[in-house]
Amino acid sequence: MLSTRLAKWALGCLVVGLTIAVVGPAAASDEAAAAADEVSLTSYTDFLDTYLFTHTGDSRGPSGADHDPARDNILQLFQSYGLTATLEPFTYSGYSGENVVAEKIGTVYPNSYYLIGAHYDSVSNPGADDNASGTALVLEAARIISQYPSDYSIRFVAFDLEELGLFGSHAYVNAHAGDDFVEVVIADMVAYDPGTDLARIYGQSWHGSLISDLGAAVDEYGDGASWFDAGWVSASDHSPFSDAGFPAVLLIESEVWNNPYYHTQQDNFEQAGNLNLPYAVKLTRSVVGWLVDAAGVQVPIDGLDISFPNGQPDFVLPAGGTTLRVEVAGVGTGVPQPGTGVLHYDIGAGWESVAMDVVSDNVYDAVFPAAACGTEVLYYVSAEAVGGEVFMSPGSAPTSSYTAVSATGTVVALADDFETDLGWSVSGDATAGMWERGTPVGGGDRGDPPTDYDGSGQCYLTQNDDDDSDVDGGTAYLVSPVIDLSAGDATVYYALWYTNDYGSDPDNDIFRIWVSSDSGSSWQLVETIGPASASGWNEHSFVVGDYVTPTALVRVRFEVSDLNSGSVVEAGIDAFEVSTLDCGPDCPGDLDGNSQVNLADLQILLSNYGTMSGAAYEDGDLDGNGTVDLADLQALLAAYGDVC
C-alpha cells in the first residue's frame, strides 16, 4: 500500500536526483510569444489604478493605511486565478510582516521552482513606480501563466518590508532555504522611462546564463525594448536569494538613478512623466516570455494537446502491464492523425519506443514494460498531427520526461508520531536543552515550537520548558531505534523545527542529520542545516542508500548544538517515517499472498471492482492505473490456477 506520507509528498526522495532538468539558454518559442501577446495594457493599468493604492495620498508603508488592503487585494487576485495563495507571516530583525505567496505545481518537476517576485510595500508614499509597477508585473504574469500547465513549479511572490532592508525576502529565503529554486527574477521599478525603452539586469557573474536568457527574452518578446548587463547591486529582493546560492537577478528601469520621483510623494499614478505604462508592459512581456521558455509552460498554439485524463502513475508494476490513458486533441488548426500515438520509455538501457494501444480515435492506452523493482522509469508520449508534425508531452521531451518507479507502492518500515516510546535515545554534552519527548509548552515565544507538527500532540524537542529552554554549552543527540533495512533501500521522512535567530549573536550554530548502517558505531553525514534558521516546521527526507549500504542495523541521528556564544538554539523532530518500496508478490494475481491464484483472489478483485481511487495491488488493481477494472479481471483470469 502507498504510505500516507508518500501520498502527501508524492515520490519524495525515492527518485530525487534521478531525473535532472537540463537548464541552459532557452530558445525563443511560439508558445512564449503567444503568452507575451496576452499581456494587456488595460489589465496592467487596472492593477495600478484599482488594486495597489498608487494615488495621491496613498501609503503602503509598514504602518500606512493602504498597506494591508493592498496586501489583501494581491492575495485575492492570486486566488482568483486559481493559484494556491497564502499569506506567509514572518518576523525579521524585530519587524513583522507578511509575504504574499502564490504557487502553481509543475507536472514534471513539482519540487523545483522558478520564482518571480516584487515587493509591494512602499516608503510611506503611493509608490506607483517603487514598487507597485513590479507588483503589477508579477500579477499580470500570474494572470496569464496560471491558465497553462508547466513542467516546473512556479511561485509568484509579493514581498513585504523591502524598504526596511529586504526583510521580507530575507525571511522568505530563510524559511525556504531547503527548496530548489532553479532561477529567480525580481522586478523592482519597471515603469519610469523617459523614452529609452532600455532596461537594466543586475546579477552576479555566476548568474551568467540567467542574465543572458532574460536579456534574450527582452530582445525577443519585449516589443522593441532592449537591455544591458548592469553588473551587481544588492539593494533589492534578488540579493538574499543570490546570497543563499540561488541564481537570482533584478530587472529594473534603466533610468532608475535619474528618476526624479524616487521615494517621494510624487511617485503616484497621477504624476505626469512618472509612469510610462507601455514601457512597463514591454518589460512584463519580457518576463512572461522568459518564464514560458524557462519553466516549460505549455501555451496552446496551433497543434496538438496531449492529456492524461486518469492521471499519471507514481509507480508501474515490475511485471509490466501498467496502463496510462492518453487523449490527443487538436488545438487551433491542428488536427490529430489517428493511430500515431507512441510511448517512449527508458528503463536504463536508453530510449525505446512502442506504439500505444488504440482505444478509439485519438484515445490510447500506453502499456509500460517490465522493469526490475526499484528501477526509475523515464517516459514521454508523442502523436502526429495531420501533415506529419510530431507533438510530445512533455513538450521538451526527451530533454525533459515524466518519471515513475517500478514497484507496487511503498511499505512503511517505521512510523513514529512520538505518542509512545519506540526506543529513541538521548545523549550529548550540552549543559542544558537536551532532547525530550512531550507536548510543547513554551508557546513559541523564544524560538521553540508552539505545537507539534502532525497534530498528534507530542514530538521530540529541546528542553520542553517555558521561557529559557534552549540548548546551551554543547551538543545534544537524538538517536532512532534500529531500523531493519536488510530487504532493501528506504526513504526517511521527518519534520524539523530549527531556530537559531534569537539572542545577542544569532545564526551562528548548525543542525546536522546523520545515518549509520552499523547501529551507531560509525556515522555518515546526511545534511547540515544552518547557520540560518528555517522558520516553522519543515519537511525533510533522504534516501538511506545514498549515504550507507542498507542493513538490518540502520539508525538515524539528529544533532543540535550551541557551540558559539549569544545564540538561542531550539529544535524539534516529529512525524518520523521510513518507507521502503513494495515490489509486490512474486505471483501476479495472488492477492491474498497464499502463493496461488484462485477463487479467493477472484473474489477479492470482484469485491473491489469499479474502485476509482485508493485502489492498491492487493485490492485487485493489477495494472496500477488506480482503478479495479476489466483489464485487471482479464489479467487475473489469465493467471488463474498459477501456483508459485
Side-chain angles (χ1 to χ4, degrees):
M1 293 288 288
L2 283 174
S3 72
T4 55
R5 182 65 57 81
L6 186 67
K8 181 178 180 183
W9 292 356
L11 287 179
C13 284
L14 288 169
V15 295
V16 165
L18 296 177
T19 302
I20 303 297
V22 178
V23 179
S29 68
D30 292 339
E31 291 86 350
D37 285 344
E38 291 188 49
V39 175
S40 164
L41 175 62
T42 299
S43 176
Y44 184 92
T45 304
D46 191 42
F47 292 138
L48 293 174
D49 187 19
T50 306
Y51 294 98
L52 295 179
F53 296 90
T54 61
H55 296 283
T56 301
D58 289 343
S59 172
R60 295 190 314 280
S63 58
D66 306 306
H67 175 278
D68 290 359
R71 175 203 64 199
D72 295 342
N73 283 346
I74 295 166
L75 176 66
Q76 290 164 10
L77 285 165
F78 281 150
Q79 292 171 336
S80 74
Y81 306 145
L83 297 168
T84 300
T86 59
L87 298 178
E88 291 194 8
F90 65 86
T91 298
Y92 190 87
S93 194
Y95 289 86
S96 295
E98 289 180 298
N99 295 323
V100 190
V101 181
E103 179 175 280
K104 72 182 277 43
I105 300 298
T107 59
V108 184
Y109 309 111
N111 297 316
S112 295
Y113 302 92
Y114 281 84
L115 185 149
I116 61 171
H119 73 89
Y120 69 92
D121 63 308
S122 72
V123 288
S124 299
N125 69 342
D129 183 42
D130 186 15
N131 184 37
S133 67
T135 304
L137 181 153
V138 173
L139 287 167
E140 181 68 353
R143 182 185 69 83
I144 295 165
I145 299 298
S146 61
Q147 304 172 79
Y148 309 117
S150 59
D151 291 350
Y152 288 85
S153 291
I154 301 171
R155 286 184 183 160
F156 306 91
V157 183
F159 294 106
D160 199 2
L161 304 192
E162 188 268 357
E163 298 291 2
L164 294 183
L166 318 182
F167 290 172
S169 53
H170 274 298
Y172 182 84
V173 172
N174 287 346
H176 296 275
D179 291 353
D180 177 21
F181 293 108
V182 183
E183 291 178 333
V184 175
V185 169
I186 299 298
D188 192 347
M189 301 177 66
V190 294
Y192 174 77
D193 184 66
T196 69
D197 270 352
L198 186 63
R200 297 169 179 257
I201 299 177
Y202 284 103
Q204 305 229 42
S205 58
W206 61 274
H207 301 154
S209 61
L210 173 54
I211 295 170
S212 60
D213 286 352
L214 181 58
V218 175
D219 293 334
E220 185 68 29
Y221 311 118
D223 196 22
S226 57
W227 68 286
F228 66 97
D229 185 339
W232 175 248
V233 66
S234 61
S236 194
D237 289 318
H238 63 301
S239 185
F241 288 93
S242 182
D243 291 345
F246 300 115
V249 299
L250 170 65
L251 178 69
I252 195 168
E253 60 207 26
S254 67
E255 295 301 300
V256 57
W257 308 121
N258 299 316
N259 185 339
Y261 312 113
Y262 174 67
H263 283 191
T264 72
Q265 293 300 318
Q266 284 68 51
D267 182 9
N268 59 53
F269 188 85
E270 293 80 13
Q271 176 64 48
N274 184 34
L275 300 180
N276 184 335
L277 296 176
Y279 167 79
V281 165
K282 292 180 180 183
L283 298 194
T284 305
R285 288 175 55 92
S286 303
V287 173
V288 168
W290 166 80
L291 190 56
V292 169
D293 286 333
V297 181
Q298 288 107 58
V299 180
I301 55 174
D302 290 343
L304 301 182
D305 176 62
I306 300 175
S307 61
F308 308 98
N310 298 333
Q312 295 169 263
D314 290 333
F315 301 99
V316 294
L317 296 175
T322 297
T323 61
L324 169 67
R325 179 60 54 89
V326 180
E327 293 184 358
V328 182
V331 177
T333 61
V335 177
Q337 180 66 56
T340 59
V342 177
L343 169 67
H344 309 265
Y345 63 87
D346 182 355
I347 57 175
W351 287 105
E352 299 183 49
S353 301
V354 61
M356 294 188 286
D357 293 344
V358 176
V359 177
S360 59
D361 282 354
N362 304 311
V363 178
Y364 303 92
D365 275 342
V367 182
F368 286 89
C373 187
T375 300
E376 176 205 30
V377 179
L378 306 179
Y379 70 95
Y380 66 95
V381 297
S382 66
E384 293 182 19
V386 171
E389 186 175 0
V390 177
F391 292 83
M392 298 172 293
S393 180
S396 55
T399 301
S400 299
S401 62
Y402 301 114
T403 305
V405 173
S406 178
T408 62
T410 61
V411 175
V412 177
L414 174 65
D416 197 348
D417 60 6
F418 301 118
E419 294 308 297
T420 58
D421 183 2
L422 297 186
W424 292 73
S425 60
V426 173
S427 61
D429 60 1
T431 58
M434 296 299 284
W435 291 97
E436 298 179 16
R437 184 173 63 89
T439 301
V441 299
D445 57 352
R446 201 168 177 265
D448 52 316
T451 64
D452 70 329
Y453 170 75
D454 59 14
S456 63
Q458 298 194 86
C459 60
Y460 262 100
L461 67 166
T462 50
Q463 192 174 337
N464 191 22
D465 295 332
D466 200 0
D467 296 325
D468 189 2
S469 61
D470 62 306
V471 180
D472 288 319
T475 301
Y477 297 105
L478 176 65
V479 180
S480 76
V482 168
I483 306 164
D484 185 355
L485 298 183
S486 56
D489 207 355
T491 302
V492 176
Y493 305 94
Y494 59 93
L496 170 66
W497 177 284
Y498 179 64
T499 57
N500 183 28
D501 55 2
Y502 287 78
S504 60
D505 186 18
D507 293 338
N508 61 11
D509 283 293
I510 58 175
F511 188 101
R512 296 194 287 189
I513 301 94
W514 306 79
V515 65
S516 171
S517 61
D518 54 15
S519 195
S521 295
S522 61
W523 295 94
Q524 284 293 120
L525 180 65
V526 172
E527 185 179 9
T528 298
I529 309 294
S533 298
S535 177
W537 285 102
N538 291 276
E539 298 170 340
H540 292 256
S541 59
F542 67 91
V543 178
V544 172
D546 289 347
Y547 303 94
V548 297
T549 300
T551 68
L553 299 174
V554 170
R555 290 184 189 267
V556 176
R557 182 174 74 180
F558 298 106
E559 173 193 323
V560 61
S561 59
D562 179 23
L563 303 178
N564 296 290
S565 61
S567 63
V568 174
V569 177
E570 296 276 11
I573 296 292
D574 202 4
F576 185 87
E577 183 177 296
V578 182
S579 295
T580 62
L581 289 175
D582 183 356
C583 294
D586 295 328
C587 187
D590 176 24
L591 305 183
D592 60 5
N594 69 349
S595 300
Q596 300 179 57
V597 183
N598 55 22
L599 180 61
D601 303 305
L602 179 60
Q603 290 172 329
I604 292 172
L605 186 149
L606 292 176
S607 69
N608 292 296
Y609 196 85
T611 301
M612 296 300 294
S613 62
Y617 185 91
E618 54 266 40
D619 295 331
D621 182 22
L622 301 185
D623 62 6
N625 71 347
T627 306
V628 181
D629 54 16
L630 181 60
D632 302 309
L633 178 59
Q634 291 171 332
L636 189 144
L637 292 176
Y640 199 87
D642 286 354
V643 177
C644 43

